[in-house]
Amino acid sequence: MSARMILPLLFGIAGVATLLWLGFWQLDRLAWKEDRLAQIEARKSAAAAPLEPYFHQSGPREDDNYRRVTFEGVLTDKQAHVLTSLKFTGAGFRILQEVIWNDKAFLLDLGFVPEAQKDAPRPTGPVRVVGNILNPDDYDESFTPDPDLDKNIWFARYLPMLAEKLDVLPFMVVVEAAEYRKDGAWVPYDAVTPLPVSVNIPNDHREYAITWFSLAVVWFGMTAYLLWRIRQKTV
């Protein structure tokens, strides 16, 4: 091997090794992400458990995010309206309403109403709920506008700010199904269309791994070609 080939060879080996390491790292991340998603799906779809063991005044714990729970409480008329839209429906609002449970006030995400129904009256009083604990991640400090408190229009379900402005605890349950007391009987809460939680955690690690491995193959081929050209010139 000529001296002119040593540096390109070392550079090629380092490049291939780095790209392969990145590919295998993405495979490790893929396994971790799939395990995390499986845990979330298990919590999300499990039989509804009593809320009490999973309620924390400082907010949902990470291991309880998406957990399916059930409880009875009392709805008040305190609300926050979060601007959103639904495909084939258009603009509207998520209705977040205060619920009192065991002398603790927090928020129920009751679901969606069209824009015209934003300020329509809604039931208050005893309610029983099946839903999922959620710490929403739809707030971005750089892009989410401040709420219009005069019009009660919010642009994200940001629990710390909602808790401060509405004087509730930074805790939320997203309703899957709810009933309220009407004329002494439990009836479905149908004033709002429920929007049960969905898991929107990206999992692109397989594609990233394929990309890095493909680049490693290209890098190897380019290195081999370069070494061949150098050898041809030195023969």
Side-chain angles (χ1 to χ4, degrees), residues 4 17 19 21 72 83 87 91 99 107 113-114 123-124 133 156 158 180 184 186 192 199 202 209-210 215 223 232 234:
R4 294 178 60 189
L19 292 167
W21 178 82
E72 292 188 18
L83 185 66
K87 192 175 182 180
V99 63
L107 292 172
V113 297
T124 58
I133 297 170
Y158 185 43
Y180 73 103
W186 290 105
V192 175
V199 181
I210 292 172
L215 289 172
T223 301
Q232 290 296 106
T234 56

Side-chain angles (χ1 to χ4, degrees), residues 154-208:
W154 296 71
F155 301 96
R157 295 171 297 173
Y158 185 43
L159 288 183
M161 187 181 297
L162 285 161
E164 177 186 354
K165 299 299 184 183
L166 274 68
D167 192 25
V168 297
L169 295 171
F171 195 91
M172 176 181 290
V173 173
V174 179
V175 170
E176 175 189 317
E179 297 177 311
Y180 73 103
R181 296 285 289 183
K182 181 179 180 181
D183 299 328
W186 290 105
V187 297
Y189 188 107
D190 56 6
V192 175
T193 301
L195 292 178
V197 296
S198 58
V199 181
N200 297 312
I201 299 175
N203 186 17
D204 301 323
H205 298 291
R206 189 185 307 277
E207 290 77 8
Y208 294 153

Side-chain angles (χ1 to χ4, degrees), residues 50-187:
L51 175 60
E52 187 166 8
Y54 309 109
F55 183 88
H56 301 282
Q57 297 196 35
S58 59
R61 295 187 177 180
E62 184 177 352
D63 289 346
D64 295 330
N65 212 18
Y66 298 99
R67 189 177 298 278
R68 194 163 180 253
V69 294
T70 184
F71 68 95
E72 292 188 18
V74 177
L75 283 171
T76 77
D77 58 3
K78 189 185 295 183
Q79 299 177 23
H81 303 156
V82 182
L83 185 66
T84 189
S85 64
L86 289 184
K87 192 175 182 180
F88 306 122
T89 300
F93 292 89
R94 279 185 176 270
I95 304 301
L96 312 184
Q97 192 162 341
E98 180 188 47
V99 63
I100 310 295
W101 169 82
N102 286 359
D103 296 323
K104 301 176 180 68
F106 59 96
L107 292 172
L108 281 185
D109 182 336
L110 289 162
F112 178 86
V113 297
E115 191 173 6
Q117 297 178 22
K118 174 184 182 299
D119 297 314
R122 296 183 180 91
T124 58
V127 64
R128 58 187 185 190
V129 174
V130 174
N132 297 86
I133 297 170
L134 185 68
N135 188 7
D137 60 358
D138 47 6
Y139 174 80
D140 188 318
E141 184 176 2
S142 301
F143 299 103
T144 304
D146 292 333
D148 184 336
L149 298 179
D150 292 334
K151 296 181 179 179
N152 193 11
I153 296 177
W154 296 71
F155 301 96
R157 295 171 297 173
Y158 185 43
L159 288 183
M161 187 181 297
L162 285 161
E164 177 186 354
K165 299 299 184 183
L166 274 68
D167 192 25
V168 297
L169 295 171
F171 195 91
M172 176 181 290
V173 173
V174 179
V175 170
E176 175 189 317
E179 297 177 311
Y180 73 103
R181 296 285 289 183
K182 181 179 180 181
D183 299 328
W186 290 105
V187 297

Side-chain angles (χ1 to χ4, degrees), residues 217-234:
V217 171
V218 172
W219 195 287
F220 175 82
M222 292 174 62
T223 301
Y225 177 72
L226 178 60
L227 294 173
W228 176 81
R229 288 291 302 273
I230 294 173
R231 184 175 180 182
Q232 290 296 106
K233 291 181 180 181
T234 56

